[in-house]
């Protein structure tokens, strides 16, 4: 029970996000209307993805420092769950975009090629491609130790590129996506105070959920590799 | 310090000598450039400046993969053991980075020449564009040198280099294409901070390669 408090917190926060987030009053902006509620889901996915990828790269660095296979397993699992959150972020964004950006007379997929050119979307797509490449690289090596070492190296190298891609590049190029200057969503002028009451707990709740899923996967994998790790 | 510079120079010199003695690889890449551009010449005749720009950088990307891929793949296990006894990982990596940069700078200039010969030359600020081509070739060679090291250690062919490298190189290519667009038009100025950002990224790649290569090097 002592160790489970954050799991309970995660569930409570997500219940709060879904109930209050969907029922509470929100400012109705001309373009956004009710779709603004997607903030509690779409933006939180990216926060959770970024945090999971950071944990993954930290484990990669730890692996190179002390060569424990446990860190390799953690690094991989955090990357996988990060990818899932990235895909969810992409799809919630696609739903949001089809109500706000897309031409109402055209189906959303017809305008996709123009919309996907947006720098923020390019950054997100690159992030996912990098981690898919990471998984391909891992699976292409059979030797356990070598696999762990090489993929940790690639993880760190790729993360160093991910950072400018997501945080610098979109600020240099014109974009439809909000958050052109400063940090999107963290800026206190961007988000209405009523919404911030739900938004920050939602970020925490989704991130904790991601970590929870990952710890379960890590435990399964540790059991699978038990023979190799403890002997 | 002087000692390690000497080692770097010796390793660099070895790669250069190999390249001069086994000229088939150099001519192989040259032929690759020539035939790709000739295929483009057949396919598109004289393209508009935007398409010219896109084609040029995509061809640069493929040239760089082909030129750089062999730098680590050619080193067999025995030879790596020998290097291990005479040089440190950072020196070995730096020598490779220097050599591949030089190779790619030469290839970039040659492909620019062939491109303007076959596909016309929409560039208005030629000096600035040559500078950009050199910067771009250098950036590409640095990133792919490190990925070649990873691919060689994973005992894979050049295909995995492309898979690993394309997502990483997209931001730099995007910036380069935008910069080149400015070189195509006399009315537009080339933004200095973007050039500086590219140089900063290159510096980051060099530092990361030197830090991370020791972990790949030991077996």
């Amino acid at each position: 029970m002592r160790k489970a408090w954050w799991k309970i917190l995660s569930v409570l926060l997500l219940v709060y996000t879904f109930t209050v987030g969907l029922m509470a009053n929100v400012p109705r902006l001309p373009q956004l209307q009710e779709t603004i509620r997607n903030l509690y889901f779409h933006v939180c996915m990216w926060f959770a993805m970024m945090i999971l990828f950071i944990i993954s790269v930290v484990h990669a660095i730890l692996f190179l420092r002390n060569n424990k296979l446990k860190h390799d397993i953690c690094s991989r699992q955090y990357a996988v769950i990060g990818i899932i959150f990235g895909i969810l972020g992409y799809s919630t964004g696609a739903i949001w975009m089809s109500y706000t950006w897309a031409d109402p007379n055209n189906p959303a997929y017809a305008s996709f090629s123009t919309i996907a050119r947006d720098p923020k979307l390019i950054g997100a797509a690159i992030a996912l491609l990098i981690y898919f490449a990471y998984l391909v690289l891992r699976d292409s090596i059979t030797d356990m130790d070598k696999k762990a070492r090489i993929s940790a190296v690639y993880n760190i190298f790729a993360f160093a590129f991910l950072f400018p891609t997501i945080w610098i590049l979109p600020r240099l190029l014109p974009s439809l996506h909000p958050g052109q200057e400063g940090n999107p969503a963290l800026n206190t002028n961007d988000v209405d105070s009523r919404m911030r009451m739900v938004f920050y707990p939602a970020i925490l709740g989704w991130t904790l959920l991601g970590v929870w899923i990952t710890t379960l996967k890590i435990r399964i994998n540790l059991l699978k590799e038990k023979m190799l790790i403890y002997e | 310090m002087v000692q390690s510079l000497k080692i770097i120079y010796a390793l660099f010199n070895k790669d250069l000598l190999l390249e001069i003695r086994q000229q088939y690889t150099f001519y192989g890449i040259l032929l690759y450039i020539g035939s790709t551009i000739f295929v483009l010449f057949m396919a598109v005749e004289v393209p508009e400046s935007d398409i010219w720009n896109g084609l040029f950088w995509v061809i640069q990307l493929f040239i760089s993969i082909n030129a750089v891929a062999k730098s680590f793949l050619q080193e067999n296990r025995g030879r790596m053991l020998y290097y291990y006894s005479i040089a440190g990982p950072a020196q070995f990596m730096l020598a490779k980075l220097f050599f591949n940069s030089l190779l790619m700078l030469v290839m970039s200039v040659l492909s620019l020449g062939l491109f303007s010969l076959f596909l016309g030359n929409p560039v208005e600020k030629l000096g600035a564009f040559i500078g950009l081509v050199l910067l771009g070739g250098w950036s590409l060679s640095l990133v792919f040198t490190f990925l070649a090291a990873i691919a060689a250690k994973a005992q894979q062919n050049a295909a995995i280099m492309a898979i690993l490298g394309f997502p990483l190189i997209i931001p730099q290519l995007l910036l380069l294409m935008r910069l080149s667009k400015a070189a195509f038009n006399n009315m537009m100025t080339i933004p200095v901070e973007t050039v500086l950002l590219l140089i900063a990224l290159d510096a980051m790649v060099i530092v990361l390669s030197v830090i991370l290569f020791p972990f790949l090097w030991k077996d």
Side-chain angles (χ1 to χ4, degrees):
Chain A
M1 205 58 199
R2 207 158 34 85
K3 280 185 179 169
W5 64 270
W6 58 276
K7 294 173 184 169
I8 298 166
L9 180 68
S10 162
V11 172
L12 289 179
L13 286 177
L14 287 178
V15 170
Y16 172 76
T17 306
F18 275 95
T19 50
V20 181
L22 292 179
M23 291 192 309
N25 210 1
V26 288
R28 286 190 175 67
L29 301 174
Q31 261 290 303
L32 294 169
Q33 300 291 352
E34 289 284 340
T35 67
I36 203 166
R37 292 182 200 277
N38 202 355
L39 179 83
Y40 308 138
F41 305 95
H42 172 67
V43 184
C44 299
M45 294 301 150
W46 296 118
F47 269 92
M49 178 194 84
M50 212 53 216
I51 292 167
L52 291 173
F53 283 165
I54 289 171
I55 301 175
S56 166
V57 84
V58 167
H59 276 291
I61 294 170
L62 283 175
F63 174 78
L64 289 183
R65 286 187 75 97
N66 54 25
N67 260 322
K68 289 205 176 95
L69 272 181
K70 182 173 183 277
H71 290 305
D72 177 55
I73 291 171
C74 293
S75 182
R76 184 209 149 101
Q77 298 308 334
Y78 277 109
V80 170
I81 304 297
I83 289 176
I84 291 174
F85 273 87
I87 293 171
L88 287 175
Y90 222 95
S91 30
T92 44
I95 297 169
W96 202 350
M97 157 209 105
S98 66
Y99 288 98
T100 50
W101 293 354
D103 180 356
N105 301 320
N106 261 336
Y109 62 80
S111 43
F112 181 75
S113 68
T114 28
I115 287 168
R117 229 175 262 283
D118 194 273
K120 286 259 160 51
L121 272 79
I122 294 173
I126 291 173
L128 290 177
L129 283 178
I130 285 177
Y131 282 89
F132 282 134
Y134 168 76
L135 294 180
V136 169
L137 176 69
R138 282 190 67 93
D139 291 342
S140 74
I141 308 167
T142 42
D143 183 86
M144 281 276 288
D145 193 51
K146 210 175 191 185
K147 172 197 279 188
R149 198 146 29 87
I150 294 175
S151 47
V153 167
Y154 181 72
N155 195 338
I156 298 168
F157 191 70
F159 187 79
F161 272 87
L162 185 61
F163 219 77
T165 312
I166 290 189
W167 301 105
I168 300 176
L169 197 65
R171 300 205 172 127
L172 293 176
L173 309 171
S175 166
L176 263 179
H177 198 287
Q180 189 62 19
E181 55 283 315
N183 291 318
L186 284 180
N187 191 338
T188 40
N189 297 328
D190 272 1
V191 185
D192 187 88
S193 57
R194 281 169 292 171
M195 294 192 66
R196 251 179 288 150
M197 294 296 289
V198 185
F199 179 51
Y200 294 154
I203 294 176
L204 191 62
W206 285 114
T207 309
L208 286 177
L209 182 72
V211 175
W212 186 5
I213 298 172
T214 321
T215 49
L216 290 179
K217 290 202 67 169
I218 291 170
R219 278 162 64 189
I220 294 172
N221 275 281
L222 280 177
L223 285 176
K224 271 188 198 162
E225 313 286 354
K226 206 174 175 184
M227 307 298 269
L228 286 167
I229 291 170
Y230 296 109
E231 276 174 21
Chain B
M1 188 64 203
V2 180
Q3 185 63 29
S4 66
L5 279 180
K6 261 186 193 161
I7 293 173
I8 294 173
Y9 176 72
L11 286 169
F12 174 80
N13 221 8
K14 177 227 83 176
D15 272 341
L16 198 64
L17 268 178
L18 263 181
E19 200 67 57
I20 293 169
R21 293 211 180 133
Q22 306 180 330
Q23 290 185 348
Y24 74 96
T25 49
F26 183 80
Y27 288 121
I29 303 165
L30 213 57
L31 191 61
Y32 180 83
I33 300 177
S35 39
T36 340
I37 293 174
F38 195 71
V39 170
L40 281 181
F41 168 65
M42 302 271 97
V44 291
E45 293 174 15
V46 178
E48 288 167 42
S49 64
D50 271 358
I51 297 173
W52 194 96
N53 189 14
L55 287 175
F56 179 75
W57 287 108
V58 171
I59 297 294
Q60 287 297 91
L61 181 64
F62 282 98
I63 292 170
S64 124
I65 289 178
N66 277 290
V68 171
K70 70 165 188 41
S71 67
F72 281 88
L73 299 174
Q74 74 179 4
E75 312 284 9
N76 58 29
R77 214 180 147 76
R79 227 192 280 171
M80 282 307 276
L81 267 175
Y82 175 61
Y83 296 135
Y84 192 67
S85 66
I86 58 165
Q91 294 152 354
F92 184 75
M93 191 68 207
L94 282 173
K96 285 283 184 205
L97 286 173
F98 283 137
F99 176 74
N100 284 333
S101 309
L102 179 72
L103 184 68
M104 196 53 208
L105 290 183
V106 174
M107 292 300 170
S108 305
V109 174
L110 285 175
S111 74
L112 177 60
L114 283 174
F115 238 81
S116 39
L117 193 66
F118 279 108
L119 299 172
N121 191 355
V123 183
E124 297 206 4
K125 295 181 220 160
L126 194 61
F129 189 69
I130 291 175
L132 277 179
V133 169
L134 293 178
L135 179 65
W138 187 48
S139 312
L140 287 169
S141 73
L142 292 178
V143 173
F144 281 104
T145 304
F146 189 72
L147 292 174
I150 292 183
K153 276 292 157 192
Q155 280 155 356
Q156 297 291 322
N157 48 12
I160 196 120
M161 259 176 78
I163 299 172
L164 298 178
F166 282 178
L168 298 184
I169 205 74
I170 294 170
Q172 293 188 37
L173 274 183
L174 213 66
L175 291 177
L176 283 167
M177 284 182 197
R178 278 180 64 82
L179 284 173
S180 342
K181 243 179 219 168
F184 286 166
N185 193 338
N186 263 330
M187 308 295 273
M188 283 154 78
T189 48
I190 292 176
V192 181
E193 63 260 41
T194 314
V195 178
L196 288 178
L197 179 67
L198 276 170
I199 294 173
L201 277 172
D202 290 344
M204 183 190 81
V205 175
I206 295 176
V207 171
L208 274 176
S209 318
V210 171
I211 294 173
L212 291 175
F213 186 65
F215 296 104
L216 290 176
W217 160 267
K218 279 181 253 168
D219 244 342

